[in-house]
Amino acid sequence: MTQHHTRTNPASDPLCAAIMLLIAGGYLLWYQHKHGKRITPTAIIWTLPFIASEIFVAALCVMRISDASNEALHFHTAITFLCGLVPLLREPVLDWVDEQKASIAPGLLYLIRDALIMVVTSVLSAYIIELAWNSQGLGKIALIYFFISTVILLLIMVFLYFLGMRTGALCCLVPIACVGFGIAQYFVVQFKGAPIKPSDLLALGTAMAVGSGYKYRFTTDIINAITYTAIACALLSLIRPKRADGNLHLGLSITANVLFACIAFSIATGMFSTVKIETITGESYDRWWPLNTYNNRGFISAFTEIAQNFDIQEPSGYSDAETRTIQKQLADQYDAGYGATPQRIAAVKQYNEIHPTVITVMNETFTDLSFYQALKDAGYNGPHNFNNINDALIRGSLLVSITGGGTANSEFEYLTNDSIGFIGEDKIPYSLYNLTDVDSLTKQLSKQGYKTLAMHPNLPDNWNRQTAYKRLGFSKFLDIDAFKNCPTYHSGVTDGSTYNKILEELKKTDKPMTIHDVTMQNHGGYDPGTVPDEDLTHYAPAGLDDSVTAQMNVYLTTINKADEDLGVFLSELRQLNRPVVLVFFGDHQPSVSSAMNDQLNPGEDSFIHAQRLYNSNYFVWANYDVAGCDQVSQNETIGANELSARVLELIGAPLTDYQKALLQTRSSVPALSAINYEGADGLRYALDDKKSQYAGAIDQIKRLQYLNFARRI
């Protein structure tokens, strides 16, 4: 609970302190002038940050946006005032030190002094940023991560030390930046429940515009962090090299400092690129809930760890111009080929007349595990309603880039037509990148006059969805708050509840819509007791131990429930008096599938063994007769990254040149994922197989994606 403290005039003390610092600075200038001493305006300049700090805290009190205690305010006022006196008094002290004869070389003595100050202030800065936003979690941060944070700050400070001609002026940017990021992180977490990530720095304008609508309250911890920043700056003000003797000495000193700054910068950037925090600690950051990583490892370590996974490697010999030419050639081939067929022409004409609503259901962990022969032999034939859709446009196996988790990546691939395989399978684009300029299914349909809606019955910041959805073009997002009174099953709100919400939204408008539904109920884990006993299946495949069998049956029970809801939803859509296209697919296989794979297929080739886990299922269905399509549930294997382009192709919607190019490459590579791809010969190949006859096509797709994704983030 926030404590409110009685204060007579909380702004008066820091304002008085600021005025006293100004008077002290003026007196110093007068004293130096009167006694014929060398005027040192840098001493006055050094007091400005401390004066600004006093005025800033006074302003917080005047605007009544400070919840800090009286003790914290008094502590800040007194300490910051004393720190402001340090640069005013330092010149006589440092001049006296310059005149002393030391037993070691003067240059070495200065370096030792400066190094000690920078180490201390780096530790203090690492503490400041956590104090501002994570004071209660400070004790949870392991020493290795605090040490890493300190080293990172020290490397930055060394660079600024030489760049600032071995003074502490630029070094002050480190503690000031730390307190700034700490305060920003505090408010971002308060307002969004999510941390600041590297990709957020690419949208500062949007953040500032959105942030202006929030109400800010500055805590005791924030005020204390500002106070410790003053202490760090006071210490850094003591860093000053011995005065140069003559212009030649000064010139050599500047040259040497610039050289050392370049060396420090090269070392820092080299370490950033080659010394991975994940490698040092053996722990990866929490891609599902990044805030946990920030809480447990500290802001700087977590931020750096994510940033180290940020870059996408440019293809060898890549050229924008050459890739645009390739894309245009492929798009022209598409237009002259399938794009000119009677089927496509009829579909385009129909689309322009009716503009069907497009509903996408990415069903959590939905997979037909009957591909395991042992499970099929035990009597399981897969989800009944799903497998008995005989009038789909297309259906079949969906190659996905994840297994057991990482839902957002299948979602990303579907919406953008970009493969995780050419970004990095350990990366989550939703969390890493600013997707504002990236093309998406949503943006395409929005340009056609479609209303855009996303829904997910869980927290809006899971996988950074709230931000990612806006950047991908969704104008409305229904999160867990829209499903407060809905029934739940196993791991969350039922699939049926989301389908009912879709039907509700459709009744609100006659305009065409694109609705993106990410379900929740089938989410892991699959421990016994998480589904009703009366629903539980009892399949017992030969070769599975009791533990895996129990988890498998819980999973199959959730899929049965999902399949029932799907059957009801399809019946409702058939009765709608408006054209609707339904795209339904599972994002990945359940975690228990990996254990099943190991126990049912021991000792087989590692590639064959692994690729079995990166398949899901899908279908594309319409409640109207789609022109140019037989609608006989044609079986077709496709990758998640090309599915939405294929849907637009089938219903006659406009396609981008990138989509046309991707669809044209399917003659060589019908489907791909981050793990493997299917060639035109029907065989599977590793994505990085350089000896494959399709390696050239894969390289071509990689270049196309680099142009259309990496160049835009």
Side-chain angles (χ1 to χ4, degrees):
M1 181 180 295
T2 303
Q3 288 185 323
H4 297 280
H5 305 271
T6 302
R7 310 182 187 99
T8 54
N9 192 354
S12 59
D13 288 349
L15 280 177
C16 288
I19 293 171
M20 291 172 65
L21 284 175
L22 282 171
I23 293 173
Y27 174 78
L28 177 64
L29 288 176
W30 173 81
Y31 182 85
Q32 289 173 331
H33 175 72
K34 180 179 180 180
H35 292 84
K37 294 182 176 290
R38 176 175 49 85
I39 302 295
T40 54
T42 55
I44 308 302
I45 294 173
W46 263 107
T47 63
L48 296 180
F50 305 99
I51 294 172
S53 181
E54 298 280 21
I55 293 174
F56 176 72
V57 171
L60 297 181
C61 297
V62 170
M63 293 186 292
R64 300 181 183 276
I65 57 175
S66 171
D67 285 332
S69 65
N70 276 334
E71 291 77 9
L73 292 172
H74 293 324
F75 180 66
H76 170 270
T77 300
I79 295 299
T80 303
F81 174 76
L82 293 175
C83 289
L85 294 177
V86 171
L88 294 176
L89 301 174
R90 69 172 188 159
E91 295 299 333
V93 176
L94 294 178
D95 287 343
W96 178 81
V97 172
D98 288 345
E99 297 168 359
Q100 304 307 304
K101 293 183 178 180
S103 57
I104 59 176
L108 181 59
L109 180 64
Y110 280 97
L111 285 175
I112 293 174
R113 177 203 65 189
D114 296 349
L116 287 174
I117 291 175
M118 286 191 289
V119 168
V120 171
T121 51
S122 295
V123 173
L124 191 56
S125 297
Y127 174 76
I128 286 168
I129 196 169
E130 299 305 318
L131 177 63
W133 81 277
N134 190 30
S135 61
Q136 294 182 346
L138 263 169
K140 300 178 182 178
I141 300 174
L143 286 178
I144 180 63
Y145 290 109
F146 194 84
F147 175 76
I148 290 171
S149 297
T150 301
V151 169
I152 291 170
L153 294 177
L154 182 59
L155 287 171
I156 296 172
M157 198 171 287
V158 169
F159 163 69
L160 294 174
Y161 168 73
F162 286 112
L163 190 65
M165 301 296 112
R166 288 191 293 123
T167 68
L170 292 183
C171 293
C172 285
L173 294 176
V174 172
I176 291 173
C178 282
V179 74
F181 272 104
I183 295 171
Q185 171 84 339
Y186 172 78
F187 289 120
V188 168
V189 171
Q190 291 293 310
F191 300 146
K192 293 175 55 181
I196 296 172
K197 297 178 289 296
S199 57
D200 294 324
L201 301 185
L202 302 175
L204 286 178
T206 302
M208 292 176 67
V210 173
S212 62
Y214 292 115
K215 295 182 179 180
Y216 299 87
R217 306 296 301 179
F218 287 75
T219 66
T220 292
D221 289 327
I222 289 177
I223 299 301
N224 285 336
I226 294 173
T227 304
Y228 289 124
T229 302
I231 295 174
C233 290
L235 289 172
L236 290 169
S237 73
L238 299 176
I239 295 179
R240 191 208 71 182
K242 186 175 181 179
R243 301 192 185 282
D245 298 326
N247 292 332
L248 177 61
H249 188 179
L250 178 61
L252 290 174
S253 177
I254 292 174
T255 302
N257 286 328
V258 171
L259 176 62
F260 281 119
C262 292
I263 293 173
F265 181 80
S266 298
I267 292 173
T269 54
M271 291 183 67
F272 175 82
S273 301
T274 59
V275 183
K276 302 293 187 181
I277 294 177
E278 288 187 346
T279 302
I280 294 174
T281 62
E283 299 177 348
S284 61
Y285 65 89
D286 189 339
R287 288 161 169 81
W288 163 252
W289 194 246
L291 186 57
N292 286 339
T293 301
Y294 281 75
N295 278 320
N296 297 326
R297 303 183 189 179
F299 181 95
I300 297 166
S301 291
F303 186 91
T304 304
E305 194 170 351
I306 293 175
Q308 286 181 318
N309 288 277
F310 192 78
D311 289 338
I312 299 172
Q313 187 175 2
E314 183 178 287
S316 176
Y318 174 83
S319 162
D320 280 352
E322 181 183 358
T323 305
R324 287 193 182 96
T325 299
I326 293 172
Q327 179 168 284
K328 184 65 168 58
Q329 291 173 346
L330 289 169
D332 289 345
Q333 291 173 20
Y334 176 87
D335 286 335
Y338 185 81
T341 62
Q343 293 93 330
R344 173 65 178 168
I345 293 172
V348 169
K349 180 181 178 182
Q350 183 187 53
Y351 173 84
N352 290 333
E353 292 173 352
I354 67 173
H355 285 88
T357 284
V358 178
I359 300 171
T360 298
V361 175
M362 188 174 75
N363 198 275
E364 173 64 39
T365 325
F366 191 99
T367 310
D368 181 358
L369 293 187
S370 65
F371 69 83
Y372 285 113
Q373 188 61 45
L375 180 55
K376 197 163 189 175
D377 292 342
Y380 181 70
N381 294 310
H384 175 77
N385 292 313
F386 177 87
N387 286 335
N388 283 278
I389 299 172
N390 299 316
D391 58 343
L393 280 66
I394 54 173
R395 65 174 304 143
S397 295
L398 184 71
L399 268 60
V400 294
S401 298
I402 53 176
T403 187
T407 296
N409 276 359
S410 290
E411 186 177 6
F412 164 82
E413 289 186 323
Y414 170 77
L415 289 172
T416 65
N417 302 130
D418 298 311
S419 174
I420 296 299
F422 305 125
I423 297 174
E425 59 182 291
D426 61 335
K427 299 177 184 177
I428 307 294
Y430 275 16
S431 298
L432 281 177
Y433 306 117
N434 185 339
L435 305 176
T436 301
D437 296 323
V438 175
D439 287 338
S440 70
L441 172 66
T442 318
K443 293 175 184 176
Q444 280 182 268
L445 293 178
S446 178
K447 291 177 182 177
Q448 299 294 315
Y450 280 65
K451 297 186 68 174
T452 59
L453 168 67
M455 61 174 64
H456 177 53
N458 211 307
L459 299 176
D461 286 303
N462 285 357
W463 297 124
N464 198 37
R465 277 194 178 93
Q466 183 164 264
T467 300
Y469 281 163
K470 290 179 182 178
R471 292 172 176 173
L472 288 172
F474 287 104
S475 60
K476 186 177 180 181
F477 176 28
L478 301 180
D479 58 31
I480 188 62
D481 289 338
F483 298 88
K484 285 183 177 179
N485 299 316
C486 293
T488 60
Y489 193 87
H490 181 57
S491 284
V493 172
T494 63
D495 292 357
S497 296
T498 69
Y499 302 155
N500 290 336
K501 189 69 68 175
I502 290 173
L503 296 170
E504 288 177 16
E505 292 294 325
L506 291 177
K507 291 177 182 178
K508 295 178 180 179
T509 179
D510 292 330
K511 288 187 176 181
M513 297 185 69
T514 177
I515 301 176
H516 182 71
D517 176 21
V518 180
T519 68
M520 188 64 197
Q521 77 169 34
N522 308 331
H523 197 280
Y526 305 105
D527 295 328
T530 56
V531 294
D533 290 341
E534 61 270 21
D535 294 346
L536 188 63
T537 63
H538 297 282
Y539 298 103
L544 294 184
D545 64 30
D546 292 343
S547 175
V548 173
T549 298
Q551 292 183 53
M552 177 203 70
N553 276 298
V554 170
Y555 169 73
L556 295 180
T557 302
T558 68
I559 295 303
N560 281 349
K561 173 64 175 173
D563 188 58
E564 291 175 8
D565 289 349
L566 173 61
V568 174
F569 187 43
L570 286 170
S571 296
E572 296 283 351
L573 293 179
R574 290 182 192 275
Q575 298 172 28
L576 283 182
N577 188 27
R578 63 188 295 173
V580 171
V581 176
L582 173 63
V583 185
F584 182 99
F585 66 95
D587 54 348
H588 55 74
Q589 290 186 29
S591 54
V592 68
S593 185
S594 180
M596 293 174 65
N597 193 34
D598 291 342
Q599 294 185 16
L600 296 176
N601 302 287
E604 66 180 345
D605 177 80
S606 58
F607 176 63
I608 296 174
H609 191 73
Q611 69 174 345
R612 187 178 290 113
L613 299 174
Y614 293 88
N615 291 276
S616 182
N617 306 95
Y618 81 97
F619 69 78
V620 180
W621 175 89
N623 69 347
Y624 67 100
D625 293 332
V626 178
C629 184
D630 294 333
Q631 289 178 240
V632 292
S633 294
Q634 173 185 326
N635 193 280
E636 184 177 311
T637 299
I638 195 169
N641 68 305
E642 292 171 332
L643 179 57
S644 64
R646 181 72 171 116
V647 171
L648 296 179
E649 177 183 54
L650 285 167
I651 66 174
L655 298 167
T656 65
D657 279 355
Y658 178 43
Q659 290 171 326
K660 292 176 182 178
L662 287 178
L663 291 170
Q664 187 65 25
T665 63
R666 295 191 71 224
S667 60
S668 299
V669 181
L672 66 83
S673 73
I675 309 302
N676 62 353
Y677 64 89
E678 183 175 294
D681 57 6
L683 301 178
R684 298 287 178 89
Y685 300 85
L687 190 64
D688 58 355
D689 186 349
K690 303 300 182 184
K691 298 180 180 180
S692 164
Q693 60 181 309
Y694 307 108
I698 291 296
D699 183 66
Q700 201 172 58
I701 298 170
K702 181 178 182 179
R703 292 170 188 274
L704 290 172
Q705 180 171 312
Y706 191 85
L707 174 67
N708 287 278
F709 178 72
R711 284 299 199 201
R712 298 186 181 188
I713 57 173

